[in-house]
Amino acid sequence: MSSSAALRHARHLSTAAALSASSATISISKAKSKLKAEHDPDKALEIYSSVSDRYISPLSSRYAQEYTVKRLAKSHRFSDIESFLDSHKNSSQITQEPFLSSIIRSYGVAGMFDHALNIYHEMDDLGTPRSTISFNVLLSACVHSKQYDRVPHLFDEIPVKYGFLPDKVSYGILIRSYCENGSPEMAMERLKEMEEKDVEITTVTFTTILHSFYKKGKIDEAKRVWNEMVIRGHGPDVGAYNVKIMNIQGGDPEGVKALIEEMSDAGLKPDTISYNYLMTCYCKNGLMDEAQKVYEDLGSKGCNPNAATFRTLIFYLCKKGRFETGYKVFKESVRVHKIPDFSTLKYLVEGLVQRSKLKDAKGMGRTVKKKFPPNLVKAWTKLEEELGLAKLEAGDKKIKDARWRIPFI
């Protein structure tokens, strides 16, 4: 299906000519699931179109719309994104602020901030009311587009122009923009403004600034933020502790363990991220048995491994030449649908081939080709050719075909 045809379906909210009866009756939840796994932008548009007339709320369509936009953006089809999102202006829901906000958000996801700003300024013409809802989405779109330096100007100008006050979420996004731009000092200045205007300062706000100071290597300033957070009674929470842990994860494992114990003593429950940092610390210090123990004990701690857990452990197991163990961890990542990235698996399959574990290496290939998007499948196929696995696969197929041709006696 061509992109223009797919876009016509999106505009007219009709798929009768393009979809089979089974596709036409797909549920909204099933559509979101299919979109998450679909990497072809035209097919993504088709899936979205098949249910676009049955979304009963902006929230129910938001994720499906964003998945579709992400697929188009990855293919650099920005004019198609504009056509796709512009078609939503014809919807009867356009006068609902959350619905229009979802369009602004999608433009942010695509990194098309000027388009997001344009539709925000069109709200009067479209008959859509303004509040901090759409304003906060606009600021987020600016951050998503990595135009951090524009956020303070928008923050100061738009509420005055349209007559409303920023809330704690608005300030949170503003502070994040300063921190992403490497200016946590300016973020601290805005905290004073929040106090003067009696706007609630959240633990997340403090944690954002804390992380930025650590990232800049300003440890003393980070400690002052931590102390101020404690004095004000804003935590610290698990997220703040994880930021603190992250900045010592390559050092002494005992220091990480001490912080995790401190969390527990404070009545907080360390999460998977906390234990990932401990595991990483052990890995970086060459203590692989201890790292594996952290991984194996996650379940008893009430946590589940995530993609970062598998990626980190497999990488360091390979680095230590433990490819067979790495393969076992890989199989577990497949079982729980948390497969690591291409680079990590490339490292593993190369090691398996070096160790003549060809059956395992070929098994990895079959899994990767089922789970990875087309561009990575192509790269993996090339890797198999370089490693000689493609010839082995072809040889196995010939033997199998020959066996089928042997007549029974």
Side-chain angles (χ1 to χ4, degrees):
M1 179 186 236
S2 69
S3 60
S4 59
L7 287 166
R8 281 198 299 274
H9 289 307
R11 290 190 189 101
H12 297 294
L13 304 178
S14 170
T15 57
L19 299 172
S20 65
S22 59
S23 297
T25 57
I26 187 175
S27 68
I28 290 173
S29 60
K30 181 65 174 176
K32 286 196 288 185
S33 177
K34 288 184 70 175
L35 278 167
K36 193 173 182 180
E38 181 56 65
H39 295 276
D40 182 286
D42 289 319
K43 290 180 181 176
L45 278 165
E46 187 175 291
I47 293 166
Y48 179 86
S49 298
S50 69
V51 291
S52 59
D53 59 344
R54 287 187 278 128
Y55 287 119
I56 58 174
S57 71
L59 185 61
S60 68
S61 67
R62 171 185 155 189
Y63 294 107
Q65 180 176 294
E66 287 183 17
Y67 280 132
T68 306
V69 168
K70 284 177 183 177
R71 300 300 177 257
L72 289 166
K74 199 165 185 178
S75 298
H76 302 284
R77 288 168 51 176
F78 299 107
S79 61
D80 284 351
I81 291 172
E82 183 178 3
S83 297
F84 172 61
L85 293 177
D86 194 57
S87 70
H88 288 67
K89 291 181 186 178
N90 299 323
S91 170
S92 60
Q93 297 183 70
I94 195 63
T95 55
Q96 299 174 23
E97 189 179 17
F99 181 85
L100 187 140
S101 296
S102 71
I103 302 174
I104 295 173
R105 191 189 311 275
S106 291
Y107 273 129
V109 166
M112 300 169 68
F113 179 68
D114 286 335
H115 289 75
L117 186 59
N118 287 340
I119 194 168
Y120 181 82
H121 287 311
E122 287 177 24
M123 290 176 73
D124 288 336
D125 295 334
L126 295 169
T128 316
R130 279 190 189 85
S131 73
T132 52
I133 293 173
S134 52
F135 176 59
N136 292 342
V137 171
L138 181 70
L139 294 182
S140 292
C142 196
V143 170
H144 276 300
S145 300
K146 302 187 186 303
Q147 298 190 26
Y148 308 120
D149 56 334
R150 295 181 68 175
V151 174
H153 301 293
L154 294 168
F155 185 93
D156 291 334
E157 294 171 4
I158 287 181
V160 173
K161 181 176 181 178
Y162 291 112
F164 59 84
L165 294 174
D167 60 12
K168 64 180 180 181
V169 176
S170 316
Y171 274 98
I173 300 167
L174 172 66
I175 283 168
R176 181 186 167 191
S177 73
Y178 281 127
C179 292
E180 293 282 3
N181 217 24
S183 303
E185 299 84 0
M186 291 297 297
M188 289 297 289
E189 288 298 315
R190 289 289 189 162
L191 287 186
K192 296 175 184 177
E193 181 181 318
M194 292 176 74
E195 279 188 312
E196 292 168 1
K197 295 184 176 180
D198 199 28
V199 177
E200 181 187 352
I201 303 174
T202 67
T203 304
V204 172
T205 302
F206 273 114
T207 301
T208 302
I209 300 172
L210 179 74
H211 176 60
S212 187
F213 275 125
Y214 271 127
K215 193 174 179 180
K216 291 187 74 175
K218 296 190 173 184
I219 309 303
D220 290 337
E221 286 86 343
K223 288 179 179 177
R224 279 196 285 273
V225 173
W226 182 276
N227 291 334
E228 188 171 345
M229 181 166 48
V230 172
I231 290 168
R232 290 170 179 264
H234 288 291
D237 61 6
V238 173
Y241 267 106
N242 283 342
V243 166
K244 198 171 185 180
I245 290 170
M246 178 178 63
N247 287 278
I248 63 169
Q249 62 171 306
D252 178 18
E254 293 304 315
V256 176
K257 284 178 68 178
L259 278 174
I260 288 177
E261 289 171 6
E262 186 181 316
M263 290 170 67
S264 299
D265 291 342
L268 299 171
K269 184 179 180 295
D271 60 12
T272 300
I273 296 171
S274 314
Y275 290 113
N276 277 355
Y277 287 141
L278 177 59
M279 185 187 75
T280 302
C281 193
Y282 279 132
C283 288
K284 288 184 175 180
N285 283 273
L287 302 169
M288 294 309 302
D289 290 340
E290 289 82 352
Q292 279 183 249
K293 185 74 164 57
V294 174
Y295 162 70
E296 291 163 359
D297 287 348
L298 281 174
S300 65
K301 305 288 188 184
C303 300
N304 295 311
N306 59 21
T309 312
F310 291 113
R311 181 178 65 246
T312 302
L313 186 57
I314 290 173
F315 173 79
Y316 280 100
L317 284 169
C318 291
K319 200 171 182 180
K320 287 294 182 179
R322 299 187 181 187
F323 299 108
E324 293 88 343
T325 305
Y327 182 65
K328 290 178 182 177
V329 176
F330 163 72
K331 288 199 294 184
E332 180 60 19
S333 77
V334 174
R335 189 185 70 81
V336 297
H337 307 291
K338 301 289 182 184
I339 280 190
D341 61 304
F342 182 91
S343 297
T344 304
L345 297 188
K346 178 178 182 288
Y347 199 7
L348 176 57
V349 76
E350 288 172 343
L352 291 172
V353 171
Q354 288 170 12
R355 295 294 174 86
S356 298
K357 297 288 182 180
L358 303 181
K359 182 179 178 182
D360 293 342
K362 288 188 291 183
M364 276 188 68
R366 287 190 291 273
T367 300
V368 166
K369 289 171 184 176
K370 289 178 183 175
K371 302 290 185 179
F372 276 16
N375 62 319
L376 292 183
V377 170
K378 186 177 180 181
W380 189 269
T381 301
K382 184 179 178 182
L383 176 62
E384 286 183 327
E385 290 172 358
E386 292 170 356
L387 295 173
L389 290 172
K391 291 181 181 178
L392 288 170
E393 198 74 46
D396 288 347
K397 187 177 186 301
K398 285 181 181 178
I399 292 170
K400 187 176 179 182
D401 289 345
R403 284 175 179 167
W404 274 108
R405 287 195 293 269
I406 296 172
F408 289 103
I409 299 173

Tab-separated table of all heavy atoms in Angstrom, residues 16 19 30 33 55 70 84 96 113 130 141 152 165 174 213 216 276 305 309-310 323 402:
chain	number	residue	atom	x	y	z
A	16	ALA	N	-12.517	0.333	4.587
A	16	ALA	CA	-13.295	-0.722	3.932
A	16	ALA	C	-12.619	-1.232	2.670
A	16	ALA	O	-12.681	-2.420	2.354
A	16	ALA	CB	-14.689	-0.189	3.591
A	19	LEU	N	-8.800	-3.054	4.026
A	19	LEU	CA	-8.646	-4.071	5.065
A	19	LEU	C	-9.628	-5.217	4.880
A	19	LEU	O	-10.730	-5.028	4.415
A	19	LEU	CB	-8.875	-3.440	6.458
A	19	LEU	CG	-7.902	-2.311	6.835
A	19	LEU	CD1	-8.361	-1.653	8.121
A	19	LEU	CD2	-6.499	-2.850	6.980
A	30	LYS	N	-5.870	-4.583	20.623
A	30	LYS	CA	-5.106	-5.398	19.677
A	30	LYS	C	-4.361	-4.513	18.688
A	30	LYS	O	-3.214	-4.796	18.304
A	30	LYS	CB	-6.054	-6.342	18.931
A	30	LYS	CG	-5.374	-7.265	17.917
A	30	LYS	CD	-4.444	-8.255	18.581
A	30	LYS	CE	-3.891	-9.244	17.565
A	30	LYS	NZ	-2.903	-10.169	18.175
A	33	SER	N	-1.271	-3.200	20.302
A	33	SER	CA	-0.280	-4.275	20.397
A	33	SER	C	0.400	-4.504	19.050
A	33	SER	O	1.629	-4.660	18.971
A	33	SER	CB	-0.967	-5.555	20.877
A	33	SER	OG	-0.053	-6.625	20.910
A	55	TYR	N	-12.111	5.183	18.519
A	55	TYR	CA	-11.522	5.699	19.756
A	55	TYR	C	-12.534	6.609	20.442
A	55	TYR	O	-13.016	7.568	19.850
A	55	TYR	CB	-10.243	6.494	19.457
A	55	TYR	CG	-9.082	5.619	19.059
A	55	TYR	CD1	-8.477	5.758	17.809
A	55	TYR	CD2	-8.576	4.665	19.930
A	55	TYR	CE1	-7.409	4.968	17.444
A	55	TYR	CE2	-7.508	3.867	19.568
A	55	TYR	CZ	-6.925	4.023	18.328
A	55	TYR	OH	-5.868	3.230	17.973
A	70	LYS	N	5.924	7.569	15.346
A	70	LYS	CA	7.307	7.115	15.543
A	70	LYS	C	7.802	6.306	14.353
A	70	LYS	O	8.961	6.436	13.940
A	70	LYS	CB	7.404	6.263	16.816
A	70	LYS	CG	7.380	7.058	18.108
A	70	LYS	CD	7.411	6.128	19.314
A	70	LYS	CE	7.318	6.906	20.615
A	70	LYS	NZ	7.275	6.003	21.798
A	84	PHE	N	-0.745	13.327	8.159
A	84	PHE	CA	-1.457	12.421	9.067
A	84	PHE	C	-2.058	13.180	10.246
A	84	PHE	O	-3.246	13.047	10.550
A	84	PHE	CB	-0.472	11.351	9.553
A	84	PHE	CG	-1.005	10.466	10.646
A	84	PHE	CD1	-2.121	9.670	10.454
A	84	PHE	CD2	-0.373	10.422	11.881
A	84	PHE	CE1	-2.606	8.849	11.461
A	84	PHE	CE2	-0.838	9.604	12.894
A	84	PHE	CZ	-1.961	8.817	12.688
A	96	GLN	N	-11.919	19.566	21.752
A	96	GLN	CA	-11.570	19.075	23.097
A	96	GLN	C	-10.071	19.262	23.308
A	96	GLN	O	-9.247	18.779	22.522
A	96	GLN	CB	-11.935	17.604	23.245
A	96	GLN	CG	-13.422	17.307	23.076
A	96	GLN	CD	-13.699	15.816	23.095
A	96	GLN	OE1	-12.915	15.029	23.631
A	96	GLN	NE2	-14.812	15.417	22.497
A	113	PHE	N	8.878	20.461	16.436
A	113	PHE	CA	8.306	21.364	17.429
A	113	PHE	C	7.604	22.568	16.818
A	113	PHE	O	6.583	23.026	17.340
A	113	PHE	CB	9.366	21.847	18.421
A	113	PHE	CG	8.784	22.790	19.432
A	113	PHE	CD1	7.868	22.326	20.373
A	113	PHE	CD2	9.071	24.153	19.390
A	113	PHE	CE1	7.274	23.202	21.282
A	113	PHE	CE2	8.486	25.029	20.290
A	113	PHE	CZ	7.586	24.547	21.237
A	130	ARG	N	-7.985	26.791	26.024
A	130	ARG	CA	-6.624	26.611	26.515
A	130	ARG	C	-6.600	26.554	28.031
A	130	ARG	O	-7.364	27.220	28.706
A	130	ARG	CB	-5.732	27.791	26.101
A	130	ARG	CG	-5.207	27.714	24.698
A	130	ARG	CD	-4.151	28.794	24.497
A	130	ARG	NE	-3.783	28.879	23.081
A	130	ARG	CZ	-4.449	29.601	22.209
A	130	ARG	NH1	-5.519	30.273	22.591
A	130	ARG	NH2	-4.069	29.624	20.941
A	141	ALA	N	6.664	18.834	24.454
A	141	ALA	CA	7.015	18.633	23.045
A	141	ALA	C	8.319	19.346	22.712
A	141	ALA	O	9.141	18.846	21.934
A	141	ALA	CB	5.887	19.146	22.147
A	152	PRO	N	12.313	28.150	28.448
A	152	PRO	CA	12.136	29.311	29.347
A	152	PRO	C	11.390	30.467	28.697
A	152	PRO	O	10.570	31.126	29.353
A	152	PRO	CB	13.584	29.700	29.686
A	152	PRO	CG	14.371	28.430	29.518
A	152	PRO	CD	13.730	27.745	28.346
A	165	LEU	N	-2.061	30.628	34.603
A	165	LEU	CA	-0.851	30.503	35.417
A	165	LEU	C	-0.224	29.121	35.266
A	165	LEU	O	-0.942	28.110	35.252
A	165	LEU	CB	-1.179	30.739	36.897
A	165	LEU	CG	-1.643	32.144	37.285
A	165	LEU	CD1	-2.069	32.163	38.754
A	165	LEU	CD2	-0.533	33.166	37.031
A	174	LEU	N	9.989	22.986	33.014
A	174	LEU	CA	10.951	24.087	32.883
A	174	LEU	C	12.289	23.711	33.519
A	174	LEU	O	13.357	23.893	32.917
A	174	LEU	CB	10.385	25.344	33.539
A	174	LEU	CG	11.343	26.536	33.657
A	174	LEU	CD1	11.703	27.066	32.270
A	174	LEU	CD2	10.720	27.637	34.520
A	213	PHE	N	23.431	18.000	38.637
A	213	PHE	CA	24.670	18.375	39.324
A	213	PHE	C	25.656	17.211	39.340
A	213	PHE	O	26.854	17.394	39.117
A	213	PHE	CB	24.373	18.843	40.752
A	213	PHE	CG	24.010	20.292	40.860
A	213	PHE	CD1	22.825	20.694	41.470
A	213	PHE	CD2	24.861	21.273	40.347
A	213	PHE	CE1	22.489	22.036	41.578
A	213	PHE	CE2	24.533	22.632	40.445
A	213	PHE	CZ	23.349	23.003	41.064
A	216	LYS	N	27.301	16.886	36.002
A	216	LYS	CA	28.333	17.893	35.759
A	216	LYS	C	29.553	17.711	36.650
A	216	LYS	O	30.528	18.456	36.537
A	216	LYS	CB	27.749	19.300	35.980
A	216	LYS	CG	26.728	19.719	34.941
A	216	LYS	CD	26.333	21.171	35.114
A	216	LYS	CE	27.433	22.109	34.647
A	216	LYS	NZ	26.999	23.531	34.717
A	276	ASN	N	20.088	-3.189	39.535
A	276	ASN	CA	20.876	-3.134	38.295
A	276	ASN	C	22.178	-2.370	38.515
A	276	ASN	O	23.240	-2.754	38.010
A	276	ASN	CB	20.078	-2.448	37.177
A	276	ASN	CG	19.131	-3.388	36.467
A	276	ASN	OD1	19.112	-4.586	36.725
A	276	ASN	ND2	18.328	-2.850	35.570
A	305	PRO	N	13.801	-8.713	36.297
A	305	PRO	CA	14.838	-8.133	35.442
A	305	PRO	C	14.212	-7.380	34.279
A	305	PRO	O	13.177	-7.778	33.763
A	305	PRO	CB	15.627	-9.357	34.960
A	305	PRO	CG	14.683	-10.514	35.099
A	305	PRO	CD	13.813	-10.198	36.269
A	309	THR	N	18.929	-5.025	32.605
A	309	THR	CA	19.520	-6.122	33.393
A	309	THR	C	20.180	-7.128	32.462
A	309	THR	O	21.357	-7.485	32.629
A	309	THR	CB	18.441	-6.854	34.220
A	309	THR	OG1	17.623	-5.914	34.913
A	309	THR	CG2	19.079	-7.813	35.218
A	310	PHE	N	19.430	-7.591	31.474
A	310	PHE	CA	19.941	-8.603	30.549
A	310	PHE	C	21.076	-8.044	29.692
A	310	PHE	O	22.092	-8.721	29.476
A	310	PHE	CB	18.807	-9.119	29.665
A	310	PHE	CG	17.793	-9.941	30.413
A	310	PHE	CD1	16.500	-9.482	30.590
A	310	PHE	CD2	18.136	-11.172	30.956
A	310	PHE	CE1	15.558	-10.237	31.281
A	310	PHE	CE2	17.202	-11.934	31.647
A	310	PHE	CZ	15.917	-11.472	31.808
A	323	PHE	N	30.641	-17.118	27.547
A	323	PHE	CA	29.632	-17.064	26.491
A	323	PHE	C	28.498	-18.067	26.701
A	323	PHE	O	27.343	-17.777	26.394
A	323	PHE	CB	30.295	-17.301	25.133
A	323	PHE	CG	31.319	-16.263	24.799
A	323	PHE	CD1	32.676	-16.572	24.820
A	323	PHE	CD2	30.942	-14.968	24.480
A	323	PHE	CE1	33.634	-15.615	24.517
A	323	PHE	CE2	31.890	-13.996	24.178
A	323	PHE	CZ	33.243	-14.321	24.202
A	402	ALA	N	17.332	-33.791	1.885
A	402	ALA	CA	17.753	-35.095	1.408
A	402	ALA	C	17.091	-36.217	2.193
A	402	ALA	O	16.668	-37.232	1.651
A	402	ALA	CB	19.267	-35.227	1.485
